[in-house]
Amino acid sequence: MKATITLLPGDGIGPEIVREATLVLSEVASKFGHEFQFCEKLVGGCAIDETGSALPEESLTTCRESDAILLGAVGGPKWDDPNATVRPEQGLLALRKELDLFANLRPVTIHPALAEASPLKAERLAGVDILIVRELTSGIYFGSPRFREKTSEGLRAVDTLEYTDAEIRRVVRVAFQVAGDRSKRVTSVDKANVLDSSRLWREVANEVATEFPEIALDHQLVDSAAMRLITQAASFDVIVTGNMFGDILSDEASVLSGSLGLLPSASLGEGSLGLFEPIHGSAPDIAGKGIANPLATILSGAMLLRHSLGLEQEACAIEAAVHQAVTDGARTSDLGGSLSTQAMTQKVLALLSR
Ligand code: IPM
Ligand code: MG
């Protein structure tokens, strides 16, 4: 097949890891007889430096016209001035919102060979296979009003947590749909003992559950869900939750896998166009050193093939190659090893081309 893929390397280690993932996608193309056209555009801090905007119109248009988007990471200390009017993260948020990519899938799997890389005891990791479905285009990230003001008592800042039933329904449906191919359990995570938006969330989740009688739904408050992720992670299958709870729980869950550098994500909407990115950030402390772990981005490339291009076999080939590389002992520094970003990719490429 022919496909156009927009590359948004972004900031920090973004360009290094996107470059490596592109090599892997190119290898897949030549091995399976596809033609992928890559088109690189600006997002985040580098886009601010060059155009003044974190998501230039041209980048957005190119994304809309492509079949899939692969993003590295955005942000860094250079753009962290609290008084700045534009921030790199706004580029990512605008992209998600503009393309209506409301369902963020974040799989958390444990590689047996990496059990020692996790701070948790091996017995707590046995059987862990979680898919977090995070709502991505609403909630406290986007609610209005949001502002900062001076009052007679000092400064006051406001963010708004809002959800409509339609926003909840569509993302909870995605969770039930994906649960159908897994162990058929969905845990909806909220804070319904305190928040009105969470009480609506719970109500709508219960309604959606009636459409999927073969799937079991349970509800859990976010604070105890955070604890259960550490104490009994294997008891979760699919977790569906709002934007900010999902952001926090997915970083927490990544600790189970041994490194944030391993976890990919897919952001999907109603159509096939999706945005694929590692869940880790731009890691400015190691940017340019050539030591970042490229696996989360390479695995995001696999999700891209599966979800946007419908290339399941090709996606599995990448996942199998990554699995084998890790089994064979390939380790970047985040995993306690000394392989460079490029050397890690070469291991994956060698296994892929076999
Ligand atoms: C993530 C990141 C982003 C988020 C930031 C960079 C805006 O933490 O994708 O998890 O909070 O969504
Ligand atoms: Mg995050």
Side-chain angles (χ1 to χ4, degrees):
M1 79 177 292
K2 279 190 182 176
T4 323
I5 301 172
T6 302
L7 303 175
L8 300 173
D11 309 316
I13 59 171
E16 299 163 52
I17 55 181
V18 167
R19 195 182 312 126
E20 301 306 303
T22 309
L23 291 177
V24 173
L25 288 172
S26 298
E27 176 61 31
V28 166
S30 76
K31 180 171 171 169
F32 291 86
H34 302 302
E35 209 177 296
F36 299 155
Q37 207 190 334
F38 300 102
C39 183
E40 195 172 313
K41 294 288 160 191
L42 296 169
V43 73
C46 58
I48 295 175
D49 287 351
E50 222 161 282
T51 70
S53 158
L55 179 64
E57 199 55 48
E58 195 207 335
S59 299
L60 181 58
T61 310
T62 305
C63 286
R64 278 192 209 285
E65 287 166 357
S66 58
D67 298 300
I69 306 156
L70 184 67
L71 184 139
V74 297
K78 184 176 173 195
W79 306 279
D80 260 349
D81 176 0
N83 295 313
T85 51
V86 49
R87 297 183 53 92
E89 291 78 6
Q90 287 166 357
L92 180 55
L93 298 180
L95 195 59
R96 293 169 176 172
K97 188 74 176 175
E98 287 292 330
L99 301 176
D100 204 18
L101 303 172
F102 62 87
N104 182 216
L105 312 188
R106 299 189 160 187
V108 181
T109 48
I110 310 297
H111 197 294
L114 289 177
E116 87 283 0
S118 169
L120 268 79
K121 296 193 185 94
E123 69 253 31
R124 295 219 192 263
L125 300 173
V128 171
D129 181 2
I130 304 172
L131 178 64
I132 298 180
V133 180
R134 168 190 176 195
E135 199 289 326
L136 205 59
T137 52
S138 184
I140 198 163
Y141 275 52
F142 293 95
S144 65
R146 52 189 304 147
F147 60 89
R148 181 198 267 244
E149 66 179 3
K150 277 204 177 88
T151 73
S152 51
E153 275 131 61
L155 291 173
R156 173 171 177 260
V158 172
D159 291 290
T160 301
L161 171 45
E162 62 180 342
Y163 270 113
T164 66
D165 63 334
E167 287 168 339
I168 300 168
R169 193 168 294 111
R170 63 183 189 171
V171 72
V172 173
R173 272 201 186 117
V174 169
F176 275 84
Q177 278 153 4
V178 295
D181 299 327
R182 299 173 52 97
S183 53
K184 302 196 166 32
R185 284 176 296 123
V186 173
T187 303
S188 173
V189 172
D190 61 37
K191 187 70 184 172
N193 55 344
V194 177
L195 303 173
D196 261 313
S197 55
S198 281
R199 287 190 280 273
L200 179 62
W201 183 284
R202 212 172 254 225
E203 222 174 285
V204 174
N206 284 331
E207 277 168 34
V208 172
T210 64
E211 300 168 20
F212 298 86
E214 71 289 1
I215 291 172
L217 169 69
D218 70 323
H219 301 278
Q220 187 156 25
L221 298 174
V222 64
D223 47 357
S224 66
M227 193 171 73
R228 180 172 153 202
L229 262 179
I230 302 299
T231 56
Q232 307 167 51
S235 68
F236 285 113
D237 182 22
V238 175
I239 294 176
V240 63
T241 189
N243 204 341
M244 184 144 89
F245 295 158
D247 179 46
I248 298 168
L249 292 181
S250 57
D251 269 30
E252 185 192 358
S254 77
V255 175
L256 303 168
S257 77
S259 170
L260 198 53
L262 292 171
L263 297 190
S265 81
S267 304
L268 308 172
E270 300 288 359
S272 63
L273 174 62
L275 166 68
F276 303 85
E277 53 174 319
I279 80 159
H280 62 70
S282 60
D285 51 323
I286 58 164
K289 295 190 179 158
I291 59 168
N293 186 344
L295 294 182
T297 316
I298 291 172
L299 291 169
S300 298
M303 292 188 92
L304 179 156
L305 297 176
R306 172 175 297 124
H307 294 284
S308 278
L309 307 185
L311 300 175
E312 178 65 25
Q313 197 194 344
E314 290 79 344
C316 290
I318 294 182
E319 287 162 353
V322 167
H323 187 90
Q324 193 57 46
V326 171
T327 306
D328 293 348
R331 302 280 186 278
T332 38
S333 61
D334 55 311
L335 297 170
S338 60
L339 280 187
S340 69
T341 309
Q342 291 183 352
M344 179 61 113
T345 310
Q346 289 308 318
K347 298 262 182 218
V348 174
L349 284 172
L351 291 159
L352 193 57
S353 59
R354 275 201 311 200

